[in-house]
């Protein structure tokens, strides 16, 4: 398993890619270089492992995603909500944040805004996961991609 280049993509269940903004300069918080460097290190600097911070409040979904990523060779730290994710971000370094939108304590919007306002983590690539059909603007402009739930692990 390898991460795609983090152009802003939106994947809707069963419909594939709906939005692909491939210009590296069109996104103020894009860190393509960071994700590309991670992918390159996975190939050239074995045993380099990319680290993922997963923020997901549903235990079954959290377990499924963690299991899939770990099977692909990634190191995963999982948080049950945004406040826990922020604490982990302060304590450790991550290559990417995969976050749910709707969570208790601090939701995905609040987590994303906190990360983008942090000097330490503002360039961290973020993928947002959501089952919500509500409009995601302006938070969509702060992330590299949106994955629509439900999704099924193949």
């Amino acid at each position: 398993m390898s991460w795609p280049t983090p152009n802003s993509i939106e994947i809707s269940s069963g419909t594939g890619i709906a939005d692909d903004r491939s210009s590296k300069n069109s996104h103020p918080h894009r860190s393509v270089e960071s994700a590309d460097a991670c992918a390159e290190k996975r190939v050239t600097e074995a045993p380099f492992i990319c680290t993922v911070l997963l923020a997901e409040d549903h235990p079954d979904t959290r377990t499924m995603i963690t299991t899939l990523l770990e099977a692909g060779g990634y190191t995963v730290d999982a948080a049950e909500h945004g406040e826990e994710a922020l604490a982990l971000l302060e304590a450790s370094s991550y290559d990417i944040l995969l976050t749910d939108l709707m969570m208790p304590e601090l939701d995905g919007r609040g987590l994303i805004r906190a990360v983008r306002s942090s000097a330490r983590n503002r360039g961290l690539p973020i993928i947002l996961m959501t089952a919500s059909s509500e409009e995601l603007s302006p938070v969509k402009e702060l992330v590299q991609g949106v994955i629509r739930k439900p999704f099924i692990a193949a």
Side-chain angles (χ1 to χ4, degrees), residues 60-118:
D60 292 342
T61 303
R62 192 171 55 246
T63 298
M64 178 189 71
I65 294 169
T66 299
T67 301
L68 289 170
L69 290 172
E70 288 176 344
Y74 295 90
T75 297
V76 180
D77 285 344
E80 293 183 31
H81 50 76
E83 289 290 343
E84 186 178 354
L86 283 177
L88 288 169
L89 281 166
E90 289 303 314
S92 299
S93 295
Y94 296 93
D95 296 300
I96 192 163
L97 169 61
L98 183 59
T99 183
D100 190 14
L101 178 64
M102 295 182 285
M103 297 181 289
E105 307 285 327
L106 179 65
D107 69 2
R109 281 186 176 88
L111 174 59
I112 291 164
R113 288 186 182 112
V115 169
R116 291 297 179 237
S117 67
S118 161

Side-chain angles (χ1 to χ4, degrees), residues 5 7 21-28 30-33 36:
T5 302
N7 298 325
R21 289 175 272 166
S22 58
S23 171
K24 291 182 183 179
N25 298 323
S26 68
H27 195 287
R30 178 161 292 139
S31 181
V32 173
E33 292 78 16
D36 286 347

Side-chain angles (χ1 to χ4, degrees), residues 55-58 98-103 108 128-130 149:
E56 169 61 60
D57 61 320
H58 293 286
L98 183 59
T99 183
D100 190 14
L101 178 64
M102 295 182 285
M103 297 181 289
L128 176 66
M129 303 178 298
T130 183
K149 294 181 194 178

